[in-house]
Amino acid sequence: MVSGAGGGGNDVQWCFSQVKGAIDDDVAEADIISTVEFNHSGELLATGDKGGRVVIFQQETENKSQPQCRSEYNVYSTFQSHEPEFDYLKSLEIEEKINKIRWLPQKNAAQFLLSTNDKTIKLWKISERDKRPEGYNLKEEDGRYRDATTITTLRVPVFRPMDLMVEASPRRVFANAHTYHINSISVNSDNETYLSADDLRINLWHLEITDRSFNIVDIKPANMEELTEVITAAEFHPHQCNTFVYSSSKGTIRLCDMRASALCDKHSKLFEEPEDPSNRSFFSEIISSISDVKFSHNGRYMMTRDYLSVKIWDLNMENRPVETYQVHEYLRSKLCSLYENDCIFDKFECCWNGNDSVVMTGSYNNFFRMLDRTQRRDVTLEASRESCKPRQVLKPRRVCAGGKRKKDEISVDSLDFNKKILHTAWHPQENIIAVATTNNLYIFQEKVN
Amino acid sequence: MINTMECAVDAQSLISISLRKIHNSRTQRGGIKLHKNLLVSYVLRNARQVYMNEKYAEIYRMQQYEEVMTVCNEIQELNPLDLVEDCEEQTADCCGSANESASLCGALLPVSHQAPSVQHLQPSSACSVPLALQSEEVCKAPEPSFYRSCCAEAYPVSNCDFSPVNSMHCNKTTVLDLDTHVVTTVENGYLHQDCCASLQQCCQGAQSPAKKRKLDFGYYVSEIEEVPDFTPCKRAKFEDSSYASTEPLDTSNISNLISIFGSGFSGLVSRQADLEQALNGQFCSKQALASLGAWTRAIVAF
């Protein structure tokens, strides 16, 4: 049952499907989810956490005879991707937290993904083993060698079925190319190269070659004291293998063409919206910093997320976004407190649905926002253990910014800023979304009538 | 121009919060986050701008007020010639009186046992003439706010309470005599004189933070044009690896710097600050604010 449109159009009602993770309110820091990503078919869903672990969920193949039966995601593979390291030269500890996971398009039976922490990118192969060879002549079943003199007959070993085993093995390690903290990786549409971006530089890698990479963007100033902005996110265009974008802490996005020159310091396009001077505050620079940039699936638009809003840009128009959505404008008067408790530095991500008609991003109090571009409507939903009954429809939530609080509204001061949804992902084809709270992963699906 | 409803007091607290964040970031796991520290430095810069603007606006307002007062007093004036002679003869009648009535002249001119060399502190600017004319009048009718502009000319005079929340009038003015090392405080129109010993303590107290900060800036700052009181420090070279390196960064210096900044601003805000704290705080804060630009830039040199 694929809706085809992947959302948009009619009103979609979202229902609870599953929740993964501990129920405990006491969150272990290592279990904090730091990235969520569907693979290209949507069959696999990967999460990375602060402890350096990757957990992959697989969608059960649907039971065709029971179309009402919802496909569930179950644990497919778990492995430790990164370990904490210590850089002795710089006396620095390198966190094992997984910053990003990106799937490679599937080429054969195995699945491949890239996972990265602050300094090192790894290519993992996830493969299934459901057969094993039996009937060796020289070995016993348990592996012990047989005494050759006791062998009187010969047989051909055969493969026999076994319980499915999913193995994850590191195939490549791309290390020592980044001085600063890696914030993004993006696989090119050519399926041969990928980029990795840190605060000041972007490097281009070949998936087969680990001992060198090409630096394609370098914004480090000659004198570090002249530093005014850093790179916050980068992504390849979904179809044009020569094009990529990177966003900055100043709220600008630069589109670069690798055909223009080896070093893409000069952008081909600069996307920037002039600041509204009436909104100027102590924190203007912080809230204009872009935390995520994502191309639409069709490659015509890109979306950026800053602290308070989501903007949709047409790649052909540089001077302003075509659409701007306020995520939680009621926080604008609270910026001082959010600065004190560090929440203003939270990096929210955003994502497109399959047909680019709806975008989604997270907020506080475990709220997340769905912004329908075609209908110009938006809804706030909550990922909460209280709405965990199977197929329970999520009720829209409303925040009362000021004045009299209506029934069912929640006031700004009651919001829990420790419960934040930074990472969300949308199935590439169906209306299935994965929403990560601090240490739980919620899966919601479209209500099926 | 920052359009904000926060007044300069919030700017001060933002500055201390920001510095604390920078300080804490050095001990965070995973190394210093360049992006976050850059954003914090922007807040620091914005808060400093607002704070300085408020300060300058206040000084300007005070000066306007003083000029107006000067003109008013001139109009009601006695024979100007008599007053000038009085001052030149170094009469300390008004100033040395038991009442300790306030007098700018008293502060600038020798006071009872004070050495005559204070006179050289008297600014040779235009305001000194009308002030000389005023001495007796001023003695009789102390105006605390009156002293500031001239006090400001003497070095290293520290400015009085810059609390913008409270009245525009200055409650305290301190003048240091470089020769006798006597600190004279005018508080609420009353003249106090502190002993040399306590002053020297204050001076030394004020000196050591400056020394420590010299070291600090030697670590972080390449350019220190904004800190004219310091001798130029060795230019620090930053390379890729040094960004991430925490080795040359001395935490004890940083914590002192933070505490200096902290005491500096609390000294500004607190009206009850005693002289020593005030002197330290004001001295430090003056330096701190002057050097904030360098410090702000230095942050990104992590």
Side-chain angles (χ1 to χ4, degrees), chain B residues 224-244:
Chain B
I224 49 167
E225 297 94 357
E226 288 183 29
V227 189
D229 300 316
F230 294 138
T231 54
C233 302
K234 208 166 160 187
R235 180 170 278 267
K237 288 218 189 289
F238 290 97
E239 298 168 354
D240 285 342
S241 55
S242 71
Y243 150 68

Side-chain angles (χ1 to χ4, degrees), chain A residues 306-344:
Chain A
D306 51 65
Y307 191 64
L308 296 178
S309 67
V310 161
K311 295 179 181 173
I312 311 284
W313 302 79
D314 186 322
L315 292 188
N316 297 316
M317 187 159 76
E318 297 169 59
N319 59 352
R320 59 177 175 83
V322 289
E323 294 153 37
T324 302
Y325 301 94
Q326 300 304 327
V327 180
H328 36 218
E329 182 68 13
Y330 46 78
L331 295 184
R332 195 179 285 274
S333 54
K334 308 278 176 200
L335 293 180
C336 203
S337 333
L338 294 167
Y339 178 71
E340 282 185 68
N341 63 18
D342 271 2
C343 282
I344 206 173

Side-chain angles (χ1 to χ4, degrees), chain B residues 3 40 44 55 67 78 84 88 102 106 118 133 148 158 160 164 203 213 254 270 273 297:
Chain B
N3 177 18
V40 170
L44 205 52
K55 234 192 189 187
E67 280 165 21
L78 306 166
V84 168
E88 285 171 358
V118 170
L133 294 173
R148 257 158 132 249
S158 47
C160 55
C203 274
R213 297 219 312 287
I254 277 291
S270 158
R297 293 200 302 281

Side-chain angles (χ1 to χ4, degrees), chain B residues 4 15 18 44 52 54-55 78 81 112 140 216 226 230 237 250-251 257 259 279 282 294:
Chain B
T4 171
I15 290 170
S18 304
L44 205 52
M52 298 300 274
E54 285 283 323
K55 234 192 189 187
L78 306 166
L81 293 171
S112 54
K140 289 165 189 162
D216 291 342
E226 288 183 29
F230 294 138
K237 288 218 189 289
D250 186 351
T251 44
L257 188 63
S259 58
L279 188 63
Q282 286 151 20

Side-chain angles (χ1 to χ4, degrees), chain B residues 130-156:
Chain B
L131 285 173
L133 294 173
Q134 298 321 307
S135 63
E136 203 164 314
E137 193 57 34
V138 167
C139 291
K140 289 165 189 162
E143 285 291 348
S145 59
F146 179 73
Y147 309 116
R148 257 158 132 249
S149 60
C150 292
C151 286
E153 311 262 344
Y155 173 84

